[in-house]
Amino acid sequence: MSDEQLMITTFTKAYNKYIYDEMVIGQLAHTELKDGVRHGAEVDVIMPAMVNLFDYTGGDLPDAELTNTTTAKVKFDKGKAFHFEVDEVKKQQIANAPDLKQKVELAKEYSYDAIKQFAAAVDTAYGQLYTRAGHYLSGSSNSAITLDADYAKEILAYMQAEFKRGDRKGHTNWIDGQMVAIVPPEYQFYLGKLDELKYVESGHKKIAKGFIGHLCGWDIVVSNNVAGVTEDDDKITYYPLFGIKGKTLAGGVSKNLNMKDYMPEKNFNTRYKGYGLYGVGAPRVDYLGTVKINAPLTLSERKAA
């Protein structure tokens, strides 16, 4: 394998392996890697199956029902491209590495930042789906709630009650151990004033990116990509998201980054270019909640020493 092909293979494999881990808002989503998708194409994303329970008083069971699956239509209408150059010194460093493992590690350096940026772009698209939320909370006359520590906890408790109540026909939208609240750093600031916020690793085989603790039944994770709208008075209104891990939103991302290498005429460096596409949707709005807040970063007043 040539060093150029090694770079392409390593870049693509790292992207496929780590793109899920780098998403924060994407923790609410079932995201599938899709191959050979063109810009503007609409694809099916099959959401995790749901099973219906029924009353049982003994005796024979009724005929088996098919599991309740939802197929979400997702349009690949967004994309990110990259175009970078590897200088001859770095190229020789990779070429002179003593074994394939060290060659791959050197090539990996170029994929890390690209993966983070691509994941952030997908997260941002997921964050914009707050407008689809089936559970919505705001202040009077649809004003933004100005956050403080007490409100930060009360909102979590309110959303817990909303999701547990569900459709008010006996169907809850709450699944213990799978509820996720995605908040901006400003919300985290107020949660940090609460003694009740618990950082617990119990039950978490792998700590999710952005995870800061557990409160009111929610796993709380922090993301810079929570939707924010700058109002006329220059205040930013944020829309944190609440939902069920992996079952609330739907998305697809390119499996193939269409990566190619070439050498420019003016030097012996190697350039690489490629692009990836993605699309998102909200097939289960009853599993999605948001709250309209503003959260000014204001320190508590202190008496003069």
Side-chain angles (χ1 to χ4, degrees):
M1 181 187 299
S2 68
D3 291 330
E4 290 78 12
Q5 188 57 46
L6 174 71
M7 175 71 79
I8 293 172
T9 301
T10 301
F11 198 104
T12 303
K13 284 185 176 180
Y15 162 80
N16 277 240
K17 183 176 181 180
Y18 297 114
I19 185 68
Y20 294 120
D21 293 342
E22 288 298 326
M23 292 185 198
V24 179
I25 302 178
Q27 292 171 37
L28 290 176
H30 177 67
T31 307
E32 294 183 356
L33 290 171
K34 296 289 186 179
D35 208 357
V37 179
R38 294 183 178 180
H39 190 276
E42 194 172 65
V43 302
D44 290 337
V45 175
I46 301 175
M47 300 299 288
M50 306 293 285
V51 177
N52 292 321
L53 297 184
F54 51 85
D55 292 334
Y56 178 67
T57 57
D60 295 337
L61 294 175
D63 292 339
E65 296 180 355
L66 287 173
T67 54
N68 180 18
T69 58
T70 301
T71 300
K73 295 287 186 182
V74 172
K75 188 173 184 179
F76 274 62
D77 56 354
K78 301 174 182 65
K80 289 291 181 181
F82 55 88
H83 191 190
F84 63 91
E85 183 173 306
V86 179
D87 63 37
E88 183 66 16
V89 173
K90 189 66 176 182
K91 183 179 175 181
Q92 286 300 317
Q93 187 181 4
I94 295 173
N96 296 331
D99 53 48
L100 181 60
K101 182 178 180 181
Q102 291 188 50
K103 285 177 182 282
V104 170
E105 286 302 313
L106 288 169
K108 266 186 187 178
E109 294 178 10
Y110 292 90
S111 65
Y112 290 144
D113 191 49
I115 293 169
K116 288 178 182 295
Q117 290 185 58
F118 197 95
V122 179
D123 261 354
T124 298
Y126 278 133
Q128 293 298 321
L129 294 174
Y130 73 90
T131 58
R132 301 290 311 282
H135 304 279
Y136 178 71
L137 176 64
S138 66
S140 59
S141 302
N142 197 36
S143 62
I145 296 171
T146 299
L147 212 61
D148 59 26
D150 289 336
Y151 256 137
K153 180 182 177 182
E154 191 173 339
I155 288 168
L156 293 170
Y158 177 93
M159 281 297 180
Q160 181 186 46
E162 272 287 301
F163 274 75
K164 284 192 172 184
R165 177 57 62 190
D167 62 4
R168 289 169 171 78
K169 297 178 182 178
H171 301 100
T172 183
N173 296 326
W174 183 273
I175 303 176
D176 285 331
Q178 297 187 39
M179 307 309 296
V180 181
I182 315 286
V183 303
E186 289 80 0
Y187 201 117
Q188 180 187 11
F189 171 73
Y190 289 99
L191 288 175
K193 299 182 178 186
L194 298 173
D195 294 334
E196 299 99 317
L197 182 65
K198 304 295 182 184
Y199 182 89
V200 286
E201 297 189 12
S202 177
H204 295 263
K205 293 181 181 179
K206 183 177 182 180
I207 300 301
K209 187 177 181 68
F211 177 75
I212 61 166
H214 192 80
L215 186 62
C216 297
W218 298 98
D219 280 354
I220 303 170
V221 296
V222 176
S223 171
N224 283 323
N225 297 308
V226 168
V229 178
T230 302
E231 307 293 354
D232 293 338
D233 58 2
D234 289 333
K235 289 183 178 178
I236 300 177
T237 299
Y238 293 103
Y239 294 89
L241 296 179
F242 303 81
I244 301 175
K245 185 176 183 179
K247 299 178 189 286
T248 302
L249 306 175
V253 297
S254 295
K255 184 176 183 179
N256 185 349
L257 290 174
N258 305 289
M259 192 171 178
K260 294 178 172 54
D261 68 276
Y262 70 98
M263 187 174 291
E265 295 180 1
K266 295 182 178 180
N267 59 47
F268 293 101
N269 298 340
T270 302
R271 291 178 179 175
Y272 298 87
K273 60 183 179 179
Y275 66 91
L277 303 174
Y278 60 97
V280 299
R284 293 302 304 262
V285 297
D286 53 327
Y287 285 178
L288 180 63
T290 192
V291 56
K292 185 177 183 179
I293 63 165
N294 59 55
L297 291 177
T298 305
L299 295 175
S300 302
E301 292 187 5
R302 298 287 194 273
K303 292 182 179 179

